[in-house]
Amino acid sequence: MKDAIIEFKNVSYKYAASEENGAEKYALNNVSLKVHEGEFLVILGHNGSGKSTIAKHVNALLLPSEGNVYIDNLDTKKPDNLWEIRKRAGMVFQNPDNQMVATIVEEDVAFGPENLGVEPSEIRKRVDGSLKKVGMYEYRKHAPHLLSGGQKQRIAIAGILAMMPKCIVLDEPTAMLDPSGRKEVINTIKDINKNYGITVILITHYMDEAAQADRIIVMDNGSIITEGKPKEVFSKVEMMKRIGLDVPQVTELAYELNKGGIQISQEILNVDEMVNAICQLK
Ligand code: ADP
Ligand code: MG
């Protein structure tokens, strides 16, 4: 396996007390985590479990109260590393409208590399290349606010790609999208991971999205409570329910069938696998 591109070493993070959020509180408790180059990692957990706090540590928007985060072996706590870290790790957020900064798509995508001081001819190449990667090149002269939610998120992803990062963290990028927008964005994320080797951390509430990851970590109350391949994590139906998470519907069906005495594989993630398993029943 390749080296870890992202490493959390015993990271705890404490938010200061505020009027809005009450007393000071640990949002992360001693989290250790390695993400390998080229990996597609999903983070699951109910609201308030610490997922966004993890995401914000990856590009040094937050610094650990205790412990360390290393991006490509660069310690996020060293101020001199900040630019190098932001070049390597891009973030995409939930609300596409908050991420648009320009009135024309290609200017929006150029914003990141411009800020990095990339020279104009190189920016041109990167903008075109990034828009092609997310399938939005023919929209380059359009106004972002007229696009659909899924298209806007693909533009946001293109804007990150134009900075040529090694990893992208997406914090519930599909939460505000309709089913077809979700599909567009997930396919784009999978494509940049598989075909361009970009390491992906995806935070999502959608189990069908999580099922496509190489690995899932599950957060509860600021700690990682389990991790593994999707089949491993989702086979822990009782544990997932206990912490308020679902598993894919077909996985739950397999679980219920087993409880009812029908011996069917417990490692079913999609309809095709369910059909195969049912056909093999005697
Ligand atoms: P998630 O993304 O899994 O919903 P977060 O990482 O946003 O969780 O939050 C983890 C915990 O930290 C929650 O209890 C939340 O209330 C708290 N928290 C998040 N942001 C702040 C903040 N700016 N100030 C104080 N507490 C916060
Ligand atoms: Mg969050």
Side-chain angles (χ1 to χ4, degrees):
M1 196 179 284
K2 287 187 183 165
D3 281 348
I5 177 134
I6 298 168
E7 180 168 13
F8 282 55
K9 258 192 186 159
N10 305 103
V11 173
S12 296
Y13 184 79
K14 185 168 62 180
Y15 285 104
S18 69
E19 261 181 42
E20 201 184 329
N21 293 294
E24 69 170 28
K25 126 161 223 192
Y26 272 97
L28 296 179
N29 294 303
N30 199 25
V31 169
S32 291
L33 168 69
K34 280 184 181 176
V35 186
H36 296 278
E37 214 165 342
E39 200 175 4
F40 178 6
L41 179 81
V42 157
I43 304 181
L44 293 177
H46 60 70
N47 284 334
S49 59
K51 304 180 301 295
S52 294
T53 305
I54 287 198
K56 289 173 187 160
H57 275 80
V58 174
N59 74 343
L61 282 173
L62 295 177
L63 300 175
S65 307
E66 288 139 48
N68 295 86
V69 174
Y70 300 92
I71 307 303
D72 219 6
N73 296 316
L74 298 165
D75 185 345
T76 61
K77 277 185 173 168
K78 294 210 174 107
D80 287 350
N81 286 339
L82 190 65
W83 273 105
E84 289 303 319
I85 286 166
R86 298 258 162 101
K87 263 194 232 172
R88 284 168 173 75
M91 288 266 292
V92 175
F93 298 94
Q94 187 178 102
N95 189 340
D97 294 315
N98 294 346
Q99 298 174 76
M100 299 288 151
V101 292
T103 53
I104 298 174
V105 164
E106 61 180 7
E107 286 174 10
D108 198 82
V109 176
F111 184 77
E114 271 165 10
N115 269 341
L116 292 176
V118 176
E119 65 168 89
S121 64
E122 170 69 13
I123 291 178
R124 182 75 258 164
K125 266 194 257 167
R126 289 193 190 186
V127 168
D128 291 350
S130 303
L131 283 169
K132 283 175 187 164
K133 282 179 188 159
V134 303
M136 289 296 291
Y137 181 67
E138 67 255 54
Y139 290 87
R140 64 194 177 282
K141 304 284 183 196
H142 285 229
H145 70 274
L146 297 177
L147 301 174
S148 72
Q151 289 174 325
K152 286 181 198 169
Q153 284 300 55
R154 283 151 67 200
I155 299 297
I157 292 170
I160 300 296
L161 289 177
M163 296 193 276
M164 306 194 102
K166 292 191 170 183
C167 50
I168 300 190
V169 182
L170 304 107
D171 192 352
E172 301 192 34
T174 62
M176 302 179 78
L177 306 182
D178 61 17
S180 73
R182 272 181 57 206
K183 212 175 257 170
E184 277 172 39
V185 169
I186 286 302
N187 287 341
T188 302
I189 292 169
K190 275 170 55 183
D191 184 55
I192 59 173
N193 172 253
K194 296 286 168 278
N195 297 327
Y196 301 101
I198 292 177
T199 308
V200 169
I201 297 184
L202 171 66
I203 297 170
T204 183
H205 282 297
Y206 292 106
M207 297 303 150
D208 56 324
E209 297 176 4
Q212 306 184 46
D214 295 323
R215 181 161 59 115
I216 295 175
I217 68 170
V218 182
M219 297 290 301
D220 189 42
N221 201 16
S223 301
I224 297 175
I225 59 160
T226 193
E227 69 174 290
K229 293 198 168 77
K231 282 180 202 287
E232 292 162 0
V233 168
F234 288 136
S235 67
K236 300 177 183 174
V237 177
E238 307 253 332
M239 184 212 74
M240 295 293 274
K241 292 197 167 227
R242 201 167 57 239
I243 62 163
L245 292 177
D246 282 330
V247 301
Q249 280 174 338
V250 285
T251 311
E252 179 155 12
L253 178 57
Y255 170 78
E256 292 295 335
L257 286 170
N258 266 282
K259 269 205 328 205
I262 295 172
Q263 283 172 11
I264 192 165
S265 167
Q266 299 266 44
E267 297 197 331
I268 289 173
L269 288 181
N270 56 51
V271 172
D272 288 344
E273 289 175 5
M274 179 56 98
V275 169
N276 279 336
I278 288 173
C279 289
Q280 280 167 23
L281 287 174
K282 301 241 166 62

